[in-house]
Amino acid sequence: MSAENLPEKGIQSEQDYEERVVTSAEDIRALGRAGWEKYDQITVDGVQMHFYRRPKQFGVPKKAEETTKKAEVGSPKKGESNRSWYIAAAIMVIVILVVGVVAYEATLPSTSSTPTPTPTMTPTPASTASMPSTSTTPTPTSTSSATRIDIYAGEPTSSTYGFGLSANSITSPGPTLTFTAGQTVTVTFHNAGTMDHNWGIVDAKSSTANVLWNAKVGSSSNPISVGGTASVTFTVGSAGTYYYICQVDAHVALGMWGAVTVNP
């Protein structure tokens, strides 16, 4: 820049000017409002540098000087702005790494030795009497000699009879029992109803069906009385689907039966 390019404002040399070099749009606007004159611009490493000047002590309004000072004080430096971006980028990288580690650990198989609790049976409403209960079969109590199961008989309503694994969970039909072929089982039968009942595993859903594996307590002619208890131990036969019923006349028709599944 030379004195020949200076505007004709009664100023004869570059020493009569004060100069500023800015790069941000905000600084450019501030200098423009303060009366600075842009006289050149260049690009260095992709950054546009704008050159501004104004006369020294030649009637520059005091208000313009104050505006310029405020703009200079309030404008962030380029280095400070870059540092802020670097810090924000570093924080984002750390967060992404932490989230990735947590997500990876969540996919690893659990090594906990805590046993899985056995689901409890949900009673089937009486209105579903045409289908066996689909609730989970409870885990029988095992001993060194046999697997033990308690079966309760009763009447959920005056027109439906059923079985359950407790006196308060009697459903019509009763819950599905699941065994393994060759398994030794002891069934303890409890008559929790208001009339006589018995229990037995049969090959068909009928009071006259054949009893299997001698798995029976009481009979149609000699049922278990109200409040009575009886037990039977038997060895489960071949795999298949069977039934358990009350053999007392007409009780099967009133819903007093359940399914038996025998796995190989």
Side-chain angles (χ1 to χ4, degrees):
M1 181 181 68
S2 66
E4 295 178 356
N5 297 326
L6 297 177
E8 295 296 333
K9 294 184 180 179
I11 301 172
Q12 299 301 321
S13 67
E14 294 179 353
Q15 286 74 18
D16 294 326
Y17 283 88
E18 55 180 320
E19 299 181 349
R20 294 285 187 274
V21 180
V22 295
T23 59
S24 69
E26 183 178 353
D27 289 344
I28 292 172
R29 288 194 294 270
L31 292 178
R33 290 194 296 269
W36 290 73
E37 176 187 7
K38 180 179 179 180
Y39 68 91
D40 200 357
Q41 77 175 47
I42 62 174
T43 300
V44 178
D45 293 333
V47 178
Q48 285 191 342
M49 304 177 67
H50 303 266
F51 294 82
Y52 281 79
R53 64 188 174 186
R54 70 177 179 181
K56 293 181 180 178
Q57 306 297 328
F58 287 91
V60 178
K62 183 177 182 181
K63 182 176 181 182
E65 292 180 352
E66 294 176 352
T67 302
T68 303
K69 290 180 180 179
K70 291 181 181 179
E72 293 173 349
V73 172
S75 300
K77 296 180 180 180
K78 185 175 184 296
E80 295 177 352
S81 176
N82 288 341
R83 282 195 297 274
S84 298
W85 278 107
Y86 295 153
I87 293 172
I91 293 175
M92 291 180 65
V93 170
I94 292 172
V95 170
I96 292 171
L97 290 175
V98 172
V99 172
V101 170
V102 172
Y104 172 75
E105 291 180 349
T107 62
L108 296 178
S110 174
T111 58
S112 174
S113 59
T114 304
T116 302
T118 302
T120 56
M121 183 191 73
T122 302
T124 302
S127 60
T128 60
S130 62
M131 295 294 293
S133 171
T134 58
S135 56
T136 303
T137 301
T139 302
T141 302
S142 297
T143 66
S144 58
S145 58
T147 299
R148 301 186 61 85
I149 299 177
D150 288 279
I151 299 291
Y152 292 77
E155 305 86 34
T157 70
S158 60
S159 60
T160 56
Y161 302 165
F163 293 102
L165 298 175
S166 70
N168 296 322
S169 64
I170 295 173
T171 59
S172 177
T176 298
L177 303 181
T178 302
F179 302 122
T180 301
Q183 181 179 9
T184 300
V185 179
T186 296
V187 171
T188 300
F189 175 79
H190 306 267
N191 187 352
T194 59
M195 59 185 65
D196 295 347
H197 297 294
N198 87 309
W199 179 90
I201 295 179
V202 294
D203 58 3
K205 191 172 61 177
S206 168
S207 60
T208 60
N210 297 320
V211 175
L212 302 175
W213 321 316
N214 293 320
K216 181 180 73 169
V217 290
S219 65
S220 59
S221 59
N222 186 27
I224 307 302
S225 60
V226 175
T229 300
S231 297
V232 62
T233 299
F234 58 93
T235 300
V236 178
S238 59
T241 300
Y242 309 97
Y243 300 92
Y244 63 91
I245 64 170
C246 174
Q247 295 175 299
V248 176
D249 188 42
H251 285 195
V252 172
L254 292 172
M256 208 162 189
W257 61 277
V260 176
T261 299
V262 178
N263 296 320

